Amino acid sequence: MTGRGAVPGPVGRPCAVPACTDGIREVPEGFCAELFSSLRRKDQRLRARQYLHGLLAAQGRKSIRNVAAVTGDPAAAQSLHHFIADSTWDWRPIRAALAAWAEKTELARALVVHPMAIPRTGKQSVGVDEMFDPRRRRTFQGQLAYGVWLASPELTVPVNWLLFLPGTGAPGTGEPSPDAAGSTPQGWAATAALTTPRDAGVRGRPVVMNVPGGATRATLARFTRDATPVLAQAALATRLAVADRCMPGYRRGSFSAQVILEAARSVRQPVRHTAPGGARPAARSLAAAVPVRLAEEAVAGARRLLVGEWDDPDRPPERLWLTDMVDTPLQRLVEYADLARCVDREAAWAVEAVGLRDFSGRSLAGWHRHVTLASAAYTAAWLGFGPLCASRPGGLTCPARGFRPDGPAPAPPAPPAAGKEAPAPRSGTPAISPQRPRPDWMIDP
C-alpha cells in the first residue's frame, strides 16, 4: 500500500496550469500524463489539465465559467466548453487509466454502485424528468445518475458512470420497453456495474448494490447470468422463502425479511465494522445470515443469504442485504456492506468539492466527460494534491477518515450492553422474544 499523499509511478513536474497558492501540493505531471495519455492532441491534454485544476481550485459551483476563471487564460471558457461539450474524445480510456492508477495505490475489495440525485430546473439538460431519489425517498425534478466506485477501507474512487434516461432501455440490455427490467432505475444501476469491466477495465470484484430496492428478481438474475457476485440492499418488506430446514418457516410459504430475521435473533453473531484508515477503533454490532430464496422462486430458485445488521439488539435490523455469496463468511459480508457506507460519506463530500453534479449542458457526452474529469479531480484530492488539500484546517480529511458534511463524525456505536449479546450460533429453532409478535408459523394450531 502506498501511503496517503504518496503517488505511485512517475511524478515529474506539476501539470501545465497556473501555479497554485503557496504551500499547496500541485497535481504532478505523472498523474496527468498517465490519465490523459489517450488524448492524442497536445491541446486536448492541456485542456484536460486545465479543467482538472479548475475543478480543484474554483470556488462554489464548478461551472465551466468558474473553472475557466482560475486558469488565467481569457479564452479558456470557450475552449473548455468546446472540449467538454462538443469535442470527440472518448472518456472511457480515462476512466480505465483512473482505475489502474487507483489499483496501484490500494487494491480494491469491491465495486460499489451508488445513486446520485442531480436537481435541475427546466428540461433542457439531457435526462431531466420527475425522478424518485432512492436515498431521500422523495421525488424531485432533475437527473438520476449511478456511479461505480472502486472501494476498500483505504480507498474509494469513482471509475464508471451511467445517467438514467427514462423511457429507454439501459445500454447493453436490449430491452427497449419502458416496462422491461433493464429500463427501471434498478436495471440501469445493474448495467452501470456490469459494464464497468468493459468501460474501466476492472474485473474480478464482487458488486455491492448500494441502491434501495436493488434486490429485485430481475436485477439479481442479471448478475447471476454474468457470473458476478453481488450484495444488494433489501427492504424489511421483501418477500422471501426460508431455504434452511433448521430454520422456522422452512417450506411454509413466503414471509417478509423482517419476520424471517425476527425468528433468527438467537443465531446473531457479533461482527466488527471496518475502521477506515485506522482512525478509530472498529465498532461492533450484531448480524445474522439466513439461507433464503426469492418468493417467486421458492421451490427451485437460486439459494441466497439474507443478511441483517443490528446496531440496537432490541430493535429491527437497521440494514438488510441479499447476496448470492452463500459460502462467504458473515464477517466478510459485513465488511462489504461497510464499503457502501464509506462511499456514502465520500460521495457526499465529492459532490460539493469537485462538482460531480455541476454540469448543466444538454450533451450526454459532455456530461460523461465532466463526471470523468471530476472523478479524476476527486482522486487527486484524495492523494493529497491541489487546492482542496488546504481548504480546511489540517488539510483535506476524506469522509472515510472522519469528515461529515453536517459536522464532526459521531462516536462509534457502543457495543451491546451486558446481557444483551447474542449467544453463540447453534442449530435448531431460534427463540422469539416474548415482547414481539410471534410469526404465524410458530403459533400452535
Side-chain angles (χ1 to χ4, degrees), residues 54-63 66-67 351-355 358:
L55 290 171
L56 290 167
Q59 299 297 311
R61 188 170 178 273
K62 313 293 183 178
S63 65
N66 287 342
V67 166
V351 159
E352 302 298 331
V354 297
D358 288 352

Side-chain angles (χ1 to χ4, degrees), residues 5-7 11 24-28 56 377 380-389:
V7 182
V11 176
I24 293 172
R25 301 179 66 197
E26 296 184 39
V27 181
L56 290 167
W382 184 90
L383 289 168
F385 299 107
L388 283 175
C389 300

Side-chain angles (χ1 to χ4, degrees), residues 101-364:
W101 184 279
E103 288 279 67
K104 288 194 299 185
T105 306
E106 173 70 25
L107 192 64
R109 290 187 183 178
L111 291 171
V112 177
V113 184
H114 182 84
M116 181 174 69
I118 310 172
R120 286 277 183 267
T121 57
K123 291 195 174 183
Q124 290 79 17
S125 298
V126 63
V128 171
D129 207 330
E130 184 172 306
M131 301 286 189
F132 179 75
D133 185 345
R135 312 293 300 177
R136 299 184 178 181
R137 300 185 179 276
R138 66 186 185 191
T139 58
F140 70 101
Q141 178 77 13
Q143 300 162 308
L144 182 62
Y146 293 98
V148 182
W149 297 62
L150 273 173
S152 76
E154 297 289 342
L155 167 80
T156 56
V157 173
V159 295
N160 204 18
W161 291 93
L162 198 61
L163 186 66
F164 175 48
L165 302 177
T168 63
T173 65
E175 300 281 4
S177 168
D179 297 324
S183 298
T184 64
Q186 294 84 3
W188 282 67
T191 297
L194 294 173
T195 57
T196 296
R198 179 197 69 195
D199 293 346
V202 179
R203 291 176 171 81
R205 301 287 187 279
V207 171
V208 179
M209 285 281 285
N210 190 28
V211 179
T216 66
R217 179 184 182 183
T219 299
L220 295 174
R222 291 184 62 192
F223 285 98
T224 299
R225 289 195 299 270
D226 197 71
T228 299
V230 64
L231 180 76
Q233 275 196 31
L236 289 171
T238 302
R239 302 295 295 184
L240 301 164
V242 177
D244 186 344
R245 64 177 65 250
C246 296
M247 297 294 295
Y250 177 67
R251 289 190 175 178
R252 297 192 182 183
S254 65
F255 304 90
S256 70
Q258 181 175 5
V259 169
I260 292 173
L261 289 173
E262 184 71 24
R265 296 176 68 86
S266 68
V267 297
R268 295 181 299 184
Q269 305 175 34
V271 291
R272 301 180 307 279
H273 292 278
T274 304
R280 56 182 181 270
R284 296 174 69 87
S285 68
L286 297 175
V290 179
V292 296
R293 290 186 174 91
L294 298 176
E296 306 94 322
E297 306 171 340
V299 176
R303 187 181 173 99
R304 307 182 192 275
L305 287 180
L306 170 64
V307 179
E309 298 179 67
W310 288 260
D311 292 332
D312 183 339
D314 292 328
R315 296 180 63 84
E318 285 81 7
R319 296 170 294 278
L320 286 80
W321 304 85
L322 268 178
T323 181
D324 53 7
M325 294 181 279
V326 294
D327 296 322
T328 301
L330 178 59
Q331 177 62 49
R332 176 56 61 90
L333 294 175
V334 170
E335 290 170 1
Y336 286 144
D338 284 343
L339 297 179
R341 292 189 284 279
C342 185
V343 169
D344 283 341
R345 294 189 294 268
E346 296 240 7
W349 179 83
V351 159
E352 302 298 331
V354 297
L356 280 171
R357 297 192 302 198
D358 288 352
F359 179 76
S360 58
R362 302 183 183 185
S363 165
L364 178 60

Side-chain angles (χ1 to χ4, degrees), residues 31 34-35 93-103 150 157-159 372 375-377 379-380:
F31 180 80
E34 187 166 337
L35 255 60
I94 295 180
R95 293 180 184 177
L98 181 61
W101 184 279
E103 288 279 67
L150 273 173
V157 173
V159 295
T372 298
S375 300
T379 306

